[in-house]
Amino acid sequence: MQNFHPITLLLSLCFLSLLNVNYAADGSSDSANGESPFTAKASLIRYWNKEIHTGLPKSAFLLSKASPLSPVDLATFSKLASQNALSTEFPAFCSSAKLFCFPDLSPSLEKHDQDSHFAIYLNKNFTNYGTGRAGGADSFKNYSDGDNLPVDSFRRYGRDAAGHDETFSNYAPETNVADQSFNTYGAGATGGTGEFRGYNVEINNPNLRFVSYSDGANGKGQKFSTYTEDANAGDESFTSYGKNGNGVPNEFSGYGKSSNVIGSDFSNYGEAGNGASDTFKTYGVDGNVPQNNYKNYGDGGNGGVDSFANYREKSNVGDDSFQSYAKNSNAQKADFVNYGKSFNEGTDKFTGYGKGAVGQQIGFKIYGVNTTFKDYARKKDVTFSKYTNAGTADASMKVTSDSSANKNKWVEPGKFFRESMLKEGSEMPMPDIRDKMPKRSFLPRSIISKIPFSTSKMGLIKEIFHASDNSSMERIILDAVEECERAPSPGETKRCVGSAEDLIDFVISVLGRNVAVRTTDNVEGSKKNVTIGTIKGINSGRVTKSVSCHQSLYPYLLYYCHSVPKVRVYEADLLDTNSKTKINHGVAICHLDTSSWSPTHGAFLALGSGPGRIEVCHWIFENDMTWTIAEAS
């Protein structure tokens, strides 16, 4: 160990003391708390002083996002990052740096040999539940209700049981960023019933996986009453449902109803079933921009009945792919009552319907706009009651962007509004501006500069953040990186930033060093009507340029920052509609040029009109921000 001369040590201590005095004198730290000048927050303050030249107080909002790492942890994890060894200390790094990480669940070895009735259940990994049970019943009343970041796994549920009933009353309703999987549910079971009454209803950003549901079952009825109704974003998949079943009645009462931008993958429904009775009452009905991929429905089935009552009825645009329906089946009856009777049609692709089937009866009562319906082995056995082609689409179902029937259907009231509504004394709905993202912090530049961020480095990124193949974390990381790598829209300048220093660099590269940052004060007024109080137009209400930064879901705090031309920025007091007392101070931005926006953008669904024809305004939500050139004091 190196020995320091007493004078050298004394000079060092004096130097540290001087740093503390200067730091406190600058008014930039909580000197009363004795905060060290070697923290990430102290470094950010010095960077602000160096790069931003306004003389205005530093943004407490931005400083609150600084990494909480202590000087010792900062040095430790910076060294690990430089050695590509962060993954070796990931749990400690995740906790100390305040990152978003899914826990590594260890298998639960609990045995349930008797009837179990769970009233409240949260985050656990069942590896073996109810296997080989004879008779009896198991039930879950509330499973991960309202949880943030639930991670649930069932490896085996009710496998090889006989005459056994299972019921889930509520599975993860109103949860946020859920990662859930059932590997096998009721596989090889005989008799009994299984029911999901509410599966992930009103969930945000799910990643749901059923690998095997009721495969190889004998006379056991399975029913989903509600599956991901009113869900937002995310993905869901069934790899195998009722495969090789014998006399199995399976029913979906509601699948993905009224969901927004959901990706759905359904493979092998009732494949090679014998005397099956499979029913979908509603699939993707009333959805917004659904992405449905359906493969192998009733293929190789013998006898039985397959029926879809409503498939994506009243949905708005989106894409559907239906590959192979009742292929190579024997004496199978296959019916679609309503397929794709939608407005603002997207793309539908239907291939391999009844191919290679024998003694088959096929009927479509209503089929929406489609140009790729083909591959019929025996067209004479196919009956259409009503087929809508692109040239003769029913006007009552084709809703234009100006139609009031389409307004506000999938867009929360108040999320988008016209500039004329920003008028003192006017009343308007306020959307839910609460931040629903996991709480995270920026990483210091000394660490983030050594962590890869590109699709070409996905292997290294997954290793650092312990994201296994086909996991929710892998999808979250890939989605964010791909969005950040996307080419900017016309007139847009964009950059994704994971450190406060990188954010400052981007802002001053667009606006210069004389800048100010704003965000809405709090979340009061969310989901209520508010009255507009005093209004101020930033930069005297002139058309200006701004940099807006919106959070992206990622392990560390990541902002998608972009600048678009021709905007006006406003500040407004928000008042309680009854007492007229001030409850919030909101920041709003109005985009005057919407010509490059998609015709299906939520703003046009809510307000009518289309790209380039109207301006669109929105509030800055909690933990988002907008930067402008600072005004002269």
Side-chain angles (χ1 to χ4, degrees):
M1 179 176 177
Q2 185 177 0
N3 293 319
F4 290 96
H5 191 278
I7 295 179
T8 303
L9 181 58
L10 179 61
L11 289 173
S12 298
L13 292 172
C14 291
F15 176 67
L16 289 175
S17 176
L18 182 62
L19 278 179
N20 277 314
V21 170
N22 288 341
Y23 189 64
D26 183 49
S28 303
S29 79
D30 299 325
S31 56
N33 297 329
E35 182 175 321
S36 166
F38 302 108
T39 62
K41 180 179 178 181
S43 176
L44 171 57
I45 290 172
R46 292 193 291 273
Y47 199 77
W48 179 293
N49 290 338
K50 173 175 173 286
E51 300 295 337
I52 295 180
H53 303 162
T54 62
L56 296 173
K58 297 168 186 63
S59 169
F61 169 77
L62 186 63
L63 294 180
S64 70
K65 311 299 179 190
S67 173
L69 288 174
S70 68
V72 173
D73 284 341
L74 177 56
T76 299
F77 293 123
S78 295
K79 182 177 181 181
L80 287 172
S82 66
Q83 297 171 343
N84 296 320
L86 273 176
S87 62
T88 62
E89 297 293 334
F90 180 67
F93 176 51
C94 180
S95 176
S96 300
K98 198 184 291 185
L99 307 183
F100 154 53
C101 316
F102 284 124
D104 294 328
L105 291 182
S106 58
S108 169
L109 302 179
E110 295 180 18
K111 293 184 178 180
H112 298 271
D113 300 325
Q114 299 178 352
D115 291 359
S116 299
H117 302 286
F118 285 88
I120 300 174
Y121 183 90
L122 189 66
N123 292 359
K124 207 167 189 179
N125 184 4
F126 268 122
T127 56
N128 195 340
Y129 187 98
T131 297
R133 288 287 310 281
D138 292 322
S139 68
F140 280 84
K141 289 186 178 179
N142 294 291
Y143 188 102
S144 292
D145 289 19
D147 192 26
N148 187 41
L149 315 179
V151 181
D152 302 318
S153 173
F154 275 85
R155 300 292 298 177
R156 298 182 183 89
Y157 187 96
R159 176 185 283 187
D160 297 327
H164 186 68
D165 299 332
E166 299 111 13
T167 301
F168 273 87
S169 297
N170 267 311
Y171 188 98
E174 299 183 27
T175 53
N176 184 43
V177 194
D179 180 81
Q180 296 168 336
S181 64
F182 272 84
N183 277 31
T184 64
Y185 184 99
T190 299
T193 60
E195 181 179 5
F196 272 91
R197 293 179 186 169
Y199 185 93
N200 286 282
V201 176
E202 296 184 6
I203 188 173
N204 182 49
N205 205 359
N207 185 28
L208 313 174
R209 301 172 301 279
F210 266 88
V211 178
S212 172
Y213 187 96
S214 196
D215 282 9
N218 182 43
K220 178 162 186 172
Q222 300 282 13
K223 180 180 180 181
F224 272 87
S225 298
T226 305
Y227 186 97
T228 62
E229 184 171 347
D230 292 319
N232 181 51
D235 296 285
E236 55 199 17
S237 67
F238 271 83
T239 304
S240 181
Y241 187 102
K243 184 177 180 180
N244 296 320
N246 181 45
V248 176
N250 292 322
E251 179 182 342
F252 270 87
S253 296
Y255 184 99
K257 182 180 178 182
S258 299
S259 291
N260 181 48
V261 198
I262 282 283
S264 175
D265 228 338
F266 218 111
S267 301
N268 300 322
Y269 185 100
E271 183 176 359
N274 181 45
S277 178
D278 298 325
T279 303
F280 267 91
K281 291 187 177 178
T282 62
Y283 182 99
V285 168
D286 206 28
N288 183 42
V289 198
Q291 308 290 317
N292 298 324
N293 184 14
Y294 218 104
K295 298 179 181 178
N296 301 335
Y297 184 99
D299 286 10
N302 180 44
V305 178
D306 292 326
S307 175
F308 268 89
N310 287 297
Y311 185 96
R312 69 156 290 166
E313 183 182 14
K314 298 180 182 178
S315 290
N316 180 52
V317 297
D319 299 290
D320 284 323
S321 175
F322 214 109
Q323 300 176 40
S324 186
Y325 185 94
K327 182 179 179 181
N328 296 322
S329 59
N330 179 43
Q332 191 92 339
K333 184 178 180 181
D335 279 322
F336 265 93
V337 178
N338 185 339
Y339 180 94
K341 190 62 176 176
S342 307
F343 46 77
N344 291 339
E345 67 271 4
T347 60
D348 291 325
K349 190 174 185 179
F350 212 114
T351 58
Y353 187 106
K355 192 171 185 178
V358 177
Q360 179 187 51
Q361 299 178 56
I362 297 176
F364 270 93
K365 291 189 178 178
I366 301 174
Y367 188 89
V369 176
N370 183 276
T371 57
T372 59
F373 211 7
K374 57 185 179 179
D375 292 342
Y376 287 90
R378 301 183 62 182
K379 290 185 174 59
K380 66 181 181 179
D381 294 328
V382 179
T383 303
F384 282 100
S385 297
K386 184 175 181 180
Y387 180 91
T388 305
N389 60 45
T392 61
D394 185 352
S396 67
M397 291 301 297
K398 280 186 69 66
V399 180
T400 66
S401 58
D402 288 314
S403 172
S404 60
N406 202 22
K407 291 181 182 179
N408 296 325
K409 188 171 183 63
W410 295 286
V411 183
E412 186 180 8
K415 185 171 183 179
F416 301 104
F417 52 91
R418 301 294 300 273
E419 194 171 16
S420 60
M421 298 174 70
L422 280 175
K423 190 178 300 181
E424 187 170 351
S426 65
E427 185 176 321
M428 62 188 295
M430 192 75 172
D432 186 358
I433 64 171
R434 294 174 299 174
D435 176 17
K436 295 183 176 63
M437 291 281 189
K439 302 302 179 186
R440 298 153 296 155
S441 295
F442 279 128
L443 282 178
R445 180 175 270 180
S446 60
I447 294 178
I448 203 168
S449 62
K450 300 176 179 66
I451 296 177
F453 189 87
S454 73
T455 50
S456 64
K457 302 289 186 181
M458 275 300 296
L460 289 174
I461 300 174
K462 287 169 59 180
E463 180 183 347
I464 291 171
F465 295 111
H466 288 202
S468 57
D469 292 344
N470 302 315
S471 66
S472 289
M473 186 57 75
E474 179 189 47
R475 179 180 62 82
I476 287 167
I477 291 172
L478 184 60
D479 285 351
V481 173
E482 287 181 339
E483 175 62 13
C484 290
E485 291 182 343
R486 175 187 58 79
S489 303
E492 179 188 37
T493 304
K494 62 186 280 277
R495 183 180 177 188
C496 288
V497 295
S499 76
E501 293 87 351
D502 289 341
L503 189 153
I504 290 172
D505 285 351
F506 177 71
V507 168
I508 63 178
S509 74
V510 176
L511 301 175
R513 298 182 185 275
N514 183 36
V515 291
V517 59
R518 294 175 176 84
T519 187
T520 298
D521 277 3
N522 55 61
V523 298
E524 293 299 318
S526 289
K527 303 176 74 172
K528 300 177 182 177
N529 281 3
V530 296
T531 298
I532 303 299
T534 303
I535 302 172
K536 176 187 176 183
I538 304 305
N539 298 139
S540 301
R542 295 188 300 270
V543 178
T544 186
K545 181 184 287 189
S546 73
V547 173
S548 292
C549 297
H550 314 280
Q551 285 189 81
S552 295
L553 185 57
Y554 205 72
Y556 51 78
L557 183 58
L558 180 72
Y559 277 98
Y560 177 101
C561 293
H562 66 138
S563 174
V564 291
K566 298 182 181 178
V567 299
R568 276 194 282 262
V569 179
Y570 294 91
E571 290 181 329
D573 287 340
L574 304 178
L575 314 179
D576 180 89
T577 55
N578 295 319
S579 66
K580 298 299 186 287
T581 57
K582 179 180 173 181
I583 58 174
N584 204 342
H585 187 73
V587 178
I589 184 169
C590 293
H591 299 266
L592 308 182
D593 182 3
T594 60
S595 57
S596 65
W597 294 22
S598 166
T600 59
H601 193 286
F604 304 131
L605 293 177
L607 304 174
S609 195
R613 296 169 58 190
I614 61 170
E615 87 295 338
V616 172
C617 305
H618 62 84
W619 297 105
I620 300 299
F621 283 23
E622 180 186 22
N623 285 324
D624 289 347
M625 68 190 96
T626 191
W627 297 71
T628 60
I629 296 172
E631 298 178 292
S633 57

